[in-house]
Amino acid sequence: MSEVSASVGRYLSTIHLVSESTGRPAKTGELATALDVSAASVTEMLTALESRDLATYEKYKGATLTDEGEETAREVMWKHCLAENFLADDLEIESPEEAREMGQALSDEVAARLRELINHPCAGQCSAPQTEYSECCDDVRGDT
């Protein structure tokens, strides 16, 4: 997985979710709406993601994650899911923003230990990568 900033992680996760739900590349306008940013900001980030080989972007068609971008998005989402479930289930704190920040800060080792502590982290929304997180069960992972 590539090391990414919180902002890049949000974009990758959103591209993944939009593409998965629509079955096609994520369009600039869809991403701008989902992320609450301008279309120009989306285009700028998509260009940066493409230069890092995390996504491919074609004007008027949209963005698709590369294999590395997909793996990175899934890991970002999985760590966010871990943090969200830990905060909600173990600490009884409902704070999506804190969960996002906490998930971004988790190292691979800490994420693995936290996963052991809370048992299974999610109900499928994170789409954890099969090759990296074999502890996620098949019904959560789906066909991905």
Side-chain angles (χ1 to χ4, degrees), residues 15-68:
I15 293 166
H16 169 77
L17 292 170
V18 170
S19 295
E20 286 288 312
S21 69
T22 62
R24 59 169 169 70
K27 296 184 183 241
T28 305
E30 293 170 321
L31 297 172
T33 299
L35 294 163
D36 195 26
V37 297
S38 71
S41 293
V42 171
T43 300
E44 184 178 326
M45 179 60 86
L46 293 177
T47 302
L49 293 175
E50 188 167 48
S51 73
R52 292 180 61 183
D53 293 323
L54 295 171
T56 57
Y57 171 60
E58 193 173 341
K59 194 173 183 177
Y60 304 116
K61 295 204 177 188
T64 305
L65 296 177
T66 62
D67 290 343
E68 184 177 356

Side-chain angles (χ1 to χ4, degrees), residues 21 53 71 81 85 117 135:
S21 69
D53 293 323
E71 179 183 340
C81 189
N85 282 277
L117 177 70
E135 67 267 16

Side-chain angles (χ1 to χ4, degrees), residues 43-107:
T43 300
E44 184 178 326
M45 179 60 86
L46 293 177
T47 302
L49 293 175
E50 188 167 48
S51 73
R52 292 180 61 183
D53 293 323
L54 295 171
T56 57
Y57 171 60
E58 193 173 341
K59 194 173 183 177
Y60 304 116
K61 295 204 177 188
T64 305
L65 296 177
T66 62
D67 290 343
E68 184 177 356
E70 180 80 17
E71 179 183 340
T72 302
R74 288 171 180 262
E75 185 162 341
V76 165
M77 293 170 69
W78 185 73
K79 287 180 177 180
H80 174 250
C81 189
L82 278 172
E84 187 173 56
N85 282 277
F86 174 69
L87 289 174
D89 296 344
D90 294 285
L91 302 181
E92 298 180 356
I93 297 171
E94 296 289 334
S95 177
E97 184 60 33
E98 285 192 51
R100 186 173 17 266
E101 290 175 18
M102 182 179 166
Q104 180 68 29
L106 293 175
S107 69

